Each structure stands twice: as structure tokens, then as C-alpha cells.
Amino acid sequence: MSVFSRITMTVALALGVLFAPAYAEEITVKQGDLTLRGELTLAEGKTAKDGVILMLHGTLAHNKMEIMQSLSDLLKDKGYNTLRANLSYAIDKRASDMLDCTIEHRHQHADAVAELETWMQWLKQQGATKVALLGHSRGGNQVAWYAAEKDSELLTKVITVAPATADPEKAAKEYAERYGKPLADIVAEAKKLVDAGKGDSVMEVPGFVYCEKAKATAKAVLGYYQDDARLNTPSLLPKIKKPMLIVMGSEDEVVADLPAKLEGVKQDNLSIATVDGADHFFLDLYADELVDKVTEFVAW
């Protein structure tokens, strides 16, 4: 039996609530030994066949964080279905909470690409005929990575909201300043373990993503810190063939270099918009303006 034929859903879905006039419910799907969790929200009178916006949150976060919840609610009010994926971070049935820094980190940045494919296959099984991908922050990079390397016949639009950028030199400098140890030494140690077939070995590192004094496998360290141009969202854009929208906040200090990195980028399938006054999380009324730009772009 294939992984997708083993998809499990809640009793409510099994009873047909999927097609109720208005619906929001957690669903689960199997991916190998992991059970992924997500929340499907259907607008009034809509089913998955009417199209779904598949949404992905940011770094070590979850699908019920404020920006994800706000966008889903506002999109529902405008008649759009959403599926908010909750990244597993290699944890079975991971809860919708910020990731605990004290765990042994066995996840990699690119794991999200495989999880997005699992959700795309699930949506196909539900009869979806069109899917737009929307990712925020690191999730914006991950949906762009998916669109660049996987794509799908269902994928019609790609939306990145304040997508992550990457600068190896800047990252190395910031790591040394924050954690007091050269990042290059840690990456070299991780690569040595991976090359020796010991990628699952747990390393004790002064910092891992946002976590201090963390434990992470060698593969996880490389997954987040090796020099890979794909971690920089603008570098992925030429490989994406579907229509794209990038939305930035004018007061965003998290990806402050994004506007400069997009200067001079010209693609017929790329639209760039800025929400004046918004920071990285598009709170309050800025979320309304963000959703207006998203729905104008998706236009189902």
C-alpha cells in the first residue's frame, strides 16, 4: 500500500464534514514513519475542488502562529480555502507550538520540500484541481524551493511573504559574534561525520538556528548551515516557471536585505509588492492589506 493510500483523517472528515458549508479541522497524513499535521479551512460553500492555498509557516514555528491564523481567517472570508501545514521537524504528530530548543534536532531545512509534496498529493486525492503555495519567512524560501525543484501539475501560483535570504559571510560573522565559535569549524566537523557515514551522530553545538547550546545531528547542521545558494530565495526565482508574487514589509528588519537582492530582478512571471508600514509579521491591519494583494494575485 502506498504512503498516500494510508492517509488518515479525523472522524469528522471521514463523516463528510469536508463538504460542509463552512469548515475548519485538523487533518493528518502519513509520510513514512511520520504523521504530519495540518489544518484545512474551507470557505462557505466551497470544497477542495474549488482550489486551496497551501500555507507554510516560518522558522521553528507552527501553523497556528498569529500570521498563519490571521491570513487563513481573512482568506476564508474572501472565499478562499486554505491548508496550513505544520512542519514535523522530524517529530511524529508534532504539536502546533514553537519547537522546543532542547530536543535533539534531526530535521533539515529541505525536509519541508518533501512535506509539501506529501500535502500536494493529499490535496490531489481530495479532488483539488488547483493549488497556490504561500510561505512566510523561511517558509517562503521553502515553497520557492519546492516550486523550483518539484513543481506539480496542481500548482498554479507561488506566493512568498517576506521570504528568507542568505548571505554566507554575514551568517558566519553573526554566528561567531553570538556564539563565540567559528561557524566554519562546526560545518567542517559536521561534513566530516556525514562523509564518514555518520550523519545521524549528534553534535553539541553552541547554537543551532535560534537555539543556544543545542544538540543536532551532523546532517541537520549541514542542512541549515552549509553554503547552498538555494537558501537564498532570490537565487531560486529563475528556476520557477509558475506565476510568482513576493510581498515585503517596508519596515521588515528580519530580511532587511531582500529589497536590495531583488533590485534588477526581471522576470515576466514575477510580481513584487510592498506593504508600507508592515514589519516581518504583517500584524493587525497590515494582514488585511497583505491578503488583498494575495487574492488579487490568485484571482480564483
Side-chain angles (χ1 to χ4, degrees):
M1 183 181 296
S2 72
V3 62
F4 300 114
S5 65
R6 296 197 299 271
I7 289 171
T8 60
M9 301 178 64
T10 61
V11 173
L13 282 177
L15 294 176
V17 183
L18 177 63
F19 303 103
Y23 172 84
E25 187 61 67
E26 181 182 85
I27 55 175
T28 58
V29 58
K30 291 292 291 183
Q31 179 179 284
D33 294 332
L34 294 173
T35 297
L36 309 182
R37 301 171 74 171
E39 183 155 313
L40 179 69
T41 300
L42 296 181
E44 185 173 357
K46 298 292 183 68
T47 72
K49 294 180 180 180
D50 296 301
V52 179
I53 299 178
L54 175 56
M55 301 169 60
L56 192 62
H57 56 78
T59 306
L60 307 190
H62 56 92
N63 64 344
K64 295 184 180 180
M65 63 185 300
E66 184 173 351
I67 184 172
M68 292 288 103
Q69 186 68 62
S70 295
L71 293 183
S72 179
D73 291 343
L74 290 168
L75 286 165
K76 180 186 68 174
D77 291 343
K78 289 181 175 290
Y80 287 83
N81 304 320
T82 61
L83 172 57
R84 286 177 283 137
N86 199 50
L87 289 179
S88 72
Y89 296 119
I91 298 172
D92 188 46
K93 301 178 182 178
R94 187 178 79 89
S96 296
D97 296 306
M98 296 299 293
L99 191 66
D100 181 0
C101 279
T102 65
I103 68 169
E104 290 186 351
H105 297 273
R106 298 181 176 275
H107 52 95
Q108 300 178 59
H109 175 90
D111 289 347
V113 176
E115 294 191 18
L116 285 170
E117 175 65 11
T118 296
W119 286 116
M120 291 291 286
Q121 291 294 333
W122 182 84
L123 285 168
K124 183 177 182 180
Q125 288 199 343
Q126 308 316 302
T129 57
K130 51 192 175 185
V131 176
L133 276 179
L134 183 154
H136 172 247
S137 195
R138 185 181 293 270
N141 173 265
Q142 290 161 327
V143 302
W145 193 324
Y146 175 89
E149 297 197 351
K150 291 285 187 181
D151 205 341
S152 167
E153 60 183 9
L154 295 182
L155 181 59
T156 62
K157 302 287 179 71
V158 181
I159 305 114
T160 64
V161 179
T165 58
D167 182 327
E169 291 185 6
K170 180 181 177 182
K173 180 181 178 181
E174 291 177 347
Y175 192 94
E177 290 175 348
R178 180 173 181 180
Y179 298 117
K181 186 173 182 178
L183 178 59
D185 292 352
I186 295 169
V187 171
E189 181 183 352
K191 188 175 187 307
K192 183 177 180 180
L193 287 168
V194 170
D195 289 346
K198 300 178 180 179
D200 291 327
S201 299
V202 176
M203 301 171 57
E204 293 190 5
V205 294
F208 179 78
V209 193
Y210 297 150
C211 302
E212 296 185 1
K213 297 180 180 179
K215 295 180 179 180
T217 65
K219 287 193 294 188
V221 170
L222 286 188
Y224 282 91
Y225 287 110
Q226 66 184 336
D227 189 357
D228 189 332
R230 294 174 295 182
L231 294 169
N232 183 48
T233 302
S235 71
L236 293 166
L237 302 182
K239 299 179 181 179
I240 299 174
K241 305 307 178 185
K242 300 295 173 60
M244 293 178 286
L245 171 66
I246 297 176
V247 185
M248 304 179 288
S250 66
E251 306 305 311
D252 191 340
E253 297 181 356
V254 177
V255 289
D257 60 345
L258 180 60
K261 285 179 176 288
L262 292 174
E263 284 184 4
V265 176
K266 302 293 184 183
Q267 291 184 216
D268 291 340
N269 64 332
L270 174 63
S271 300
I272 300 173
T274 300
V275 176
D276 289 332
D279 65 8
H280 192 62
F281 293 99
F282 296 83
L283 302 176
D284 303 322
L285 294 178
Y286 298 118
D288 293 87
E289 188 171 348
L290 171 57
V291 165
D292 286 342
K293 294 184 183 300
V294 169
T295 55
E296 182 181 352
F297 174 71
V298 175
W300 288 341

